[in-house]
Amino acid sequence: MTADSAVETLSYPEADTVSDLVARAIDRGAMVTLFGRCTVEYDGRAASSLGPGDRHVTLKPDGAALVHTDEGQQPVNWQPPGCDHAVAVTDGALEVHSERSNPAETLDVTFETVAHAAAFDVSDPEELAVTGTEADLKDRILAEPDLVEAGFTPLATERETPAGAVDIYGEDATGRTVVVELKRRRVGPDAVGQLDRYVGALERDLHAQTEVRGILVAPSVTDRARQLLAKKGLEFVSLEPTQ
């Protein structure tokens, strides 16, 4: 066993020893991870069972519980935040219980053996800051419309059309209507088709003589998308969501 003020770890411990570590961790609001051979039973909105297998279990201070196998990024079983965790030893096996009251759901993990157990006193006050979104791209253009082209003037965002909401609706230096479709990453023909539908919808919605230009703004496009843009008379501007 190793321990300091923030971390406790155990390798191939007895069930009673793990139970004591987990119980103390739950009481003080620590994060717990367990790895070993176990079975999993879930009962709630449905019911499921997992036979014996090597799995990784995480119990979080907010009440979430996650059961992972060696495949994929998603847990095979889980409980959301707000659940109550408990631990016990029955007939030499470690039993981890997670219970949610509304709706009524239980997750029971029974360890035949525990290869590794750890408890962490976690401090993480920072919030995830997501950058590079379509909203970032929109903000760049609204702050500096000439990034689309010289003389471009945004008039509205999320303008509704029969085909859906246009990201940016504006006009060019000559007064022609411009539809700008924003994408935060490299795109293919689907994005071109979406822009074409917006242009068509506005041409039908506005005065019959109104010319509507369509501009796709994204970091890059595929060769097929570039060919389709040319075929439909649409345009492309390469622009990253952030500088």
Side-chain angles (χ1 to χ4, degrees):
M1 175 178 177
T2 63
D4 59 29
S5 60
V7 180
E8 290 183 80
T9 63
L10 301 167
S11 294
Y12 294 99
E14 296 294 329
D16 288 335
T17 305
V18 186
S19 178
D20 176 66
L21 180 147
V22 174
R24 287 186 290 103
I26 292 172
D27 286 343
R28 70 174 187 269
M31 182 184 296
V32 175
T33 66
L34 302 164
F35 178 79
R37 193 161 188 81
C38 63
T39 60
V40 183
E41 300 289 336
Y42 165 80
D43 187 48
R45 289 167 291 180
S48 65
S49 297
L50 278 176
D54 295 332
R55 300 178 183 109
H56 183 273
V57 177
T58 301
L59 305 178
K60 296 189 177 184
D62 65 0
L66 309 171
V67 181
H68 282 275
T69 67
D70 62 345
E71 295 182 342
Q73 65 186 36
Q74 299 293 337
V76 292
N77 284 95
W78 61 281
Q79 290 276 70
C83 297
D84 293 319
H85 303 322
V87 63
V89 177
T90 303
D91 297 329
L94 180 74
E95 296 181 343
V96 177
H97 179 77
S98 178
E99 184 169 353
R100 184 185 187 192
S101 58
N102 186 24
E105 295 179 297
T106 59
L107 182 69
D108 290 288
V109 184
T110 302
F111 283 90
E112 176 186 326
T113 58
V114 176
H116 184 82
F120 307 90
D121 293 323
V122 179
S123 176
D124 186 2
E126 299 299 322
E127 293 186 1
L128 180 66
V130 179
T131 60
T133 65
E134 287 181 12
D136 292 325
L137 189 55
K138 182 185 296 182
D139 289 343
R140 283 197 71 188
I141 292 172
L142 294 178
E144 195 175 349
D146 282 0
L147 289 171
V148 175
E149 66 178 25
F152 173 64
T153 303
L155 300 176
T157 61
E158 302 302 320
R159 186 195 189 284
E160 289 295 333
T161 77
V166 170
D167 288 330
I168 300 178
Y169 173 85
E171 63 181 22
D172 63 17
T174 65
R176 289 178 297 178
T177 298
V178 178
V179 173
V180 179
E181 176 63 17
L182 307 175
K183 298 296 180 185
R184 67 184 182 90
R185 61 179 61 176
R186 181 178 176 84
V187 293
D190 286 350
V192 180
Q194 182 180 10
L195 175 60
D196 187 50
R197 289 192 294 274
Y198 292 153
V199 170
L202 277 173
E203 285 177 338
R204 292 188 296 271
D205 199 38
L206 299 174
H207 189 276
Q209 301 302 315
T210 300
E211 181 182 353
V212 180
R213 295 174 57 200
I215 302 177
L216 177 62
V217 177
S220 63
V221 297
T222 65
D223 288 342
R224 286 184 59 202
R226 194 178 296 275
Q227 293 166 7
L228 191 58
L229 284 164
K231 180 179 179 180
K232 293 184 175 295
L234 303 173
E235 302 164 59
F236 169 66
V237 171
S238 177
L239 188 64
E240 295 284 345
T242 56
Q243 290 179 312

